[in-house]
Amino acid sequence: MLRFRKITLVTTMLALVLHAFAQGPNNSGTYYQAATGKKGAALKTALYSIISNHRTISYDGLLSYYEKTDKRADGKLWDMYSCTTNYTFRDNAGGYKKEGDCWNREHSVPQSWFGKASPMKSDIVHVVPTDGYVNNRRGNLPFGETRKPTYSSNGGFCKVGPCSTEGYSGTVFEPNDEYKGDFARIYFYMATCYENKISSWSNTAVFAGNKYPAYKSWFIKMLLRWAKQDPVSKKEIDRNNAVYGCQQNRNPFVDYPGLEEYIWGGKQNVAFSYDNYDNSTDPGTDPDPNPDPDPNPDPDPDPNPDPDPNPDPDPNPDPDPNPNGVVFTLVKSETEINAGSYYILVFPGNDKVKSCALSDLTDGKNFYTSADVTIGSDETITTTVDEKGKPHQLLLGGTKGAYTIYDVMGKVYLSQTSNDNKLYTATTTSDNKTKWSISVETGYSHITNNNWTSREIQFNANSPRFACYTGSQKDLMLYRRTVTDGIDTPTTWQPTRVTVYSITGIAVRRNVERSEALTGLPKGIYILNGKKVVVN
């Protein structure tokens, strides 16, 4: 009997120890524990029971809480509807006649759809601060995608127009690619947190009139795609943690990336586990069913693996030794793009992020991190390369219009396996997913994938990473490794066509005549040929 009691005591203590170590992500502890083991619609209901009993913030109270939930690194307000605003938290007073006049509170799910009822009206998860004018142009339009916009915000950041997404043809508001995943996860949250109310919400184009699946099929498919193409960012995680401090609930679709697949997507038959979560992508819902490259490639492939003709790599791995690092010079012309040359890929910096270069591949192998670099007044960069946390050299192979890009340190090729906001790798160059076209405009290099021709490698300054986007992120510059054991003939660079950038690095006009570059632009500061210009 004594032995039995000892065994029982040990078992109980072991269970308590295991419970103490079982924790959810983002310091959520056991918050989601009650949902463990649930699937599909039952999982949604279990999550509803967890997140719905939250504190109700007053509508006026949102204004002060935004300083905790929506503050950028520079102290300004985070605006998800405009790329050209730099609002303080006091810039919400007065009216607006144009973009940039003031910000206000935007209901991601328009409040007219739920009759302006509480607590949805002031739920800080979906009521976000945005530019007042762009917010007004949206009105109560549903989110969607449009190929023929009738209105575009500055830089084409957000758009209004007829829906081009299959299943709906009405007028929609299209947010920027940078925040489509954010809004998708907000909509998944709203369908879950208000499972007991959503069946009565209006707008039959979006809502299904039930608690599950809650949304129409076309809308769910689009949201699932948005969530996959724009994965959870540090901004969202930080905001989710801050929201918990204000409202005392969390968005599970931020804490568990891909959770929407368990409820509406291809993993509805998979049981959820709050402390042993599987966020692997379901291939059945991926726009491209081809598998990712071998996750365990040969750790030491052929040092000259490019099968394309005449890559002509430099046989000397260090053609220009420098005690302070390797010297790279800004590429200003396509004549400086050559197979066999080494480059680094650089974001020149803005008011949020320092100048940085493509560096280490993430463990998930779906985007590259950045390493700080200093750009000299002579348009050169001197840096250590091909070490952890340092810029990676990229060896160009192939031919013009079908270049291959080899990550020297990673010993892999850059590839775009799927049509999403990621950057993949491959060990061979057998198809167009590993081929790239490169053009150069006013010092910016546009590296476009040959399989997904609408996607080019860009830098996401809000969630610092290098990945493939559809033109919604920051353009990049190539810097070519300087070789001093040859004769370099200088060229004269006087472009007649230029690209104009906003102060935050968004391309406002591309490939326009220099004489017309600034005509008709709103007042503000722009970047032209690498210099700031003021439009009065």
Side-chain angles (χ1 to χ4, degrees), residues 128 144 184 245 284 320 425 436 476 483 491 536:
V128 296
D320 187 26
T425 60
W436 305 84
L476 304 176
V483 180
T491 59
N536 295 315

Side-chain angles (χ1 to χ4, degrees), residues 173-391:
F173 179 89
E174 181 175 0
N176 190 263
D177 287 353
E178 184 174 349
Y179 299 116
K180 283 178 177 175
D182 303 50
F183 285 120
R185 285 177 281 275
I186 286 173
Y187 268 71
F188 294 137
Y189 162 89
M190 292 296 283
T192 304
C193 187
Y194 302 107
E195 179 178 275
N196 63 328
K197 302 178 185 293
I198 196 169
S199 62
S200 64
W201 294 0
S202 63
N203 195 321
T204 55
V206 170
F207 298 113
N210 52 36
K211 70 175 186 179
Y212 182 82
Y215 300 122
K216 291 289 184 69
S217 176
W218 76 270
F219 199 68
I220 290 174
K221 289 178 181 178
M222 182 187 73
L223 294 180
L224 289 172
R225 177 162 46 82
W226 283 8
K228 183 174 293 185
Q229 292 178 353
D230 176 31
V232 174
S233 65
K234 184 177 184 299
K235 170 197 180 299
E236 287 179 88
I237 294 172
D238 291 344
R239 187 176 199 273
N240 196 30
N241 290 334
V243 164
Y244 182 72
C246 304
Q247 191 169 275
Q248 297 298 296
N249 76 337
R250 308 181 65 86
N251 185 346
F253 301 95
V254 172
D255 284 327
Y256 294 94
L259 180 61
E260 59 276 0
E261 294 289 342
Y262 282 69
I263 297 173
W264 290 279
K267 302 181 77 171
Q268 294 180 45
N269 293 322
V270 179
F272 170 77
S273 172
Y274 89 100
D275 62 342
N276 188 25
Y277 177 68
D278 174 17
N279 68 342
S280 59
T281 302
D282 172 59
T285 60
D286 197 295
D288 177 11
N290 292 331
D292 286 347
D294 181 3
N296 297 301
D298 181 355
D300 188 21
D302 184 347
N304 182 22
D306 193 344
D308 291 301
N310 191 30
D312 191 26
D314 193 317
N316 181 358
D318 190 10
D320 187 26
N322 186 316
N324 298 314
V326 183
V327 180
F328 295 84
T329 304
L330 175 65
V331 171
K332 296 182 179 179
S333 166
E334 290 176 26
T335 60
E336 300 169 77
I337 304 294
N338 304 111
S341 294
Y342 293 84
Y343 301 84
I344 57 174
L345 191 56
V346 175
F347 170 58
N350 60 16
D351 57 340
K352 296 181 185 178
V353 182
K354 295 179 181 179
S355 54
C356 56
L358 181 145
S359 183
D360 300 329
L361 184 65
T362 57
D363 291 339
K365 296 189 176 182
N366 57 12
F367 63 83
Y368 275 83
T369 59
S370 61
D372 290 349
V373 293
T374 300
I375 302 175
S377 58
D378 58 350
E379 299 181 325
T380 65
I381 294 173
T382 302
T383 180
T384 303
V385 294
D386 298 337
E387 296 179 4
K388 186 172 179 59
K390 297 295 182 181

Side-chain angles (χ1 to χ4, degrees), residues 62-129:
L62 290 170
L63 300 177
S64 60
Y65 281 119
Y66 285 148
E67 295 195 45
K68 298 179 180 179
T69 60
D70 293 272
K71 182 183 288 187
R72 298 188 326 208
D74 61 359
K76 300 294 181 66
L77 177 129
W78 210 307
D79 180 356
M80 295 202 291
Y81 276 5
S82 174
C83 62
T84 57
T85 59
N86 283 292
Y87 289 126
T88 69
F89 286 88
R90 295 183 178 181
D91 291 337
N92 66 312
Y96 47 81
K97 295 182 179 179
K98 64 182 184 306
E99 187 174 346
D101 282 346
C102 70
W103 63 269
N104 60 17
R105 290 159 288 190
E106 162 67 326
H107 293 80
S108 303
V109 177
Q111 57 179 328
S112 62
W113 294 0
F114 51 77
K116 300 183 180 180
S118 181
M120 291 80 70
K121 180 178 179 179
S122 58
D123 187 328
I124 199 169
V125 173
H126 92 110
V127 186
V128 296

